[in-house]
Every structure is written in C-alpha cells, then in structure tokens.
Amino acid sequence: IVTLPYSEWLVAERLMAALPPRQGDSVYVPLSRQEKGVDLLVTRRANGVSRSATLQVKYSRAYEPQRGRFNFSIWFRTFPVPDQADFFVLAALYPNITGRGTRPKAERWLPLLLLFRHDEMVELLGSLRTKAGLPDRMFYFGFDSPEQVVLTRGSAEERDFTDFIFSKRVAILRDFLSAR
C-alpha cells in the first residue's frame, strides 16, 4: 500500500491539470518515502527525449490571525534547502468564506500554492530576518485571497509574493522541462 500526504496529492493534481499528458507531461511519486528532498517528479517526453523536474512540497494550514490586516496567515519553519529539488511548492488550504451578516460560513476549502525555483528558495530562506535583524526560524504569508500574498514575518517590511502563485509561475516549470 502506498500512501500520499494530502499536500502532495493536491500539488500533483494541480500539476496534472497544468501539464496535461497530451502534451507529453507526467507526474510521478517516488515510492521510497526516504527519498531526500524529492516529493514529486514531473517529466516531459518529446521527440524521443525525456526531461524531468523534481519538486519538494511544504504544507501549512491557514490560520485566522488575531490581529493584522489579512484574513488568513500561513506559517512555515525554515528548512535546509536540498540540492535534489529543482522546485519548491509552499501549499496551504484556506476556507472559502461566504455568508450573510457577521456569521461567515465556510462552504469549502481552497488551495493556495506558491512555486519557487531552487535558487529563489535559497534566496528567500537566506534573507529571513526578525525585526531586530537576526535570522528568523519562521516565515508567514498573509492574504485575503490569492490576488495578494504578502510575506508578513521574516522581513522587517512586508514583501509581496503574489507573483509566486502557482498559476502565474507554472510557465517556468514548462520552460524548465523544455529547455535543457
């Protein structure tokens, strides 16, 4: 029996939709769960040549902050950036809030996926600082919806990461699979 954490299944599902098999793309899961730094493998087969990209998935649930200007916050601990991963996906689920008056009703959960190249993740984790300027061991993103995602912990000032949303960045993964 092979089990897959929900976060990896969620990312695999999004990858399969964005990189369909009819274009020669496939998504694989390593059967060895001890495979360091690799949670998913994406391949493209074209003109008799296969190319691949390795992904690592990090997951956070969404929190409703007690203070701050955003409805939701997702939290991650810093981690060593493994050389084996070409890309990193920071994944989260947040409630789709609808309703009337002051009693919101969560009808379903929606995904928020941020996609980083290896060098971008190294840069982000290396730049994390507390307000006092010391290295930070945690980083948070605040958002109301995927239209704006902001780093709210890990930098002296907020930094916009909206351009790292998966749907806006999947092209860099396509290019990576095509370019070599």
Side-chain angles (χ1 to χ4, degrees), residues 103-114:
R103 295 190 47 132
K105 176 183 169 188
E107 290 184 354
R108 67 175 197 242
W109 294 86
L110 300 174
L112 174 68
L113 305 176
L114 302 174

Side-chain angles (χ1 to χ4, degrees), residues 2 42 88 93 96 104 107 120 123 126 131 138 140 158 164:
V2 176
V42 180
F88 294 82
L93 288 177
N96 181 16
E107 290 184 354
E120 293 168 334
E123 181 182 335
K131 292 189 189 245
M138 299 283 294
Y140 301 176
E158 291 183 352
F164 286 82

Side-chain angles (χ1 to χ4, degrees), residues 30-162:
L31 289 179
S32 170
R33 298 313 294 163
Q34 290 78 33
E35 184 67 39
K36 296 291 183 210
V38 178
D39 294 321
L40 298 170
L41 177 73
V42 180
T43 65
R44 172 170 288 159
R45 181 137 181 96
N47 303 321
V49 176
S50 293
R51 304 198 193 295
S52 64
T54 55
L55 290 91
Q56 186 171 78
V57 178
K58 298 293 184 183
Y59 180 78
S60 171
R61 74 176 183 92
Y63 297 88
E64 294 183 56
Q66 299 301 316
R67 59 183 192 277
R69 65 183 180 100
F70 296 104
N71 288 332
F72 304 108
S73 182
I74 55 177
W75 307 355
F76 298 93
R77 290 189 187 280
T78 58
F79 54 92
V81 179
D83 291 335
Q84 297 89 338
D86 299 314
F87 292 89
F88 294 82
V89 179
L90 302 181
L93 288 177
Y94 67 97
N96 181 16
I97 306 253
T98 60
R100 299 177 194 194
T102 59
R103 295 190 47 132
K105 176 183 169 188
E107 290 184 354
R108 67 175 197 242
W109 294 86
L110 300 174
L112 174 68
L113 305 176
L114 302 174
L115 178 64
F116 294 83
R117 292 187 324 252
H118 184 275
D119 62 316
E120 293 168 334
M121 185 54 67
V122 168
E123 181 182 335
L124 170 62
L125 294 176
S127 72
L128 297 175
R129 297 288 179 262
T130 64
K131 292 189 189 245
L134 301 171
D136 206 341
R137 60 182 178 81
M138 299 283 294
F139 58 108
Y140 301 176
F141 293 96
F143 64 99
D144 293 325
S145 72
E147 281 74 49
Q148 184 184 25
V149 178
V150 175
L151 182 70
T152 56
R153 176 176 170 172
S155 180
E157 295 183 14
E158 291 183 352
R159 293 169 43 197
D160 192 335
F161 277 81
T162 306

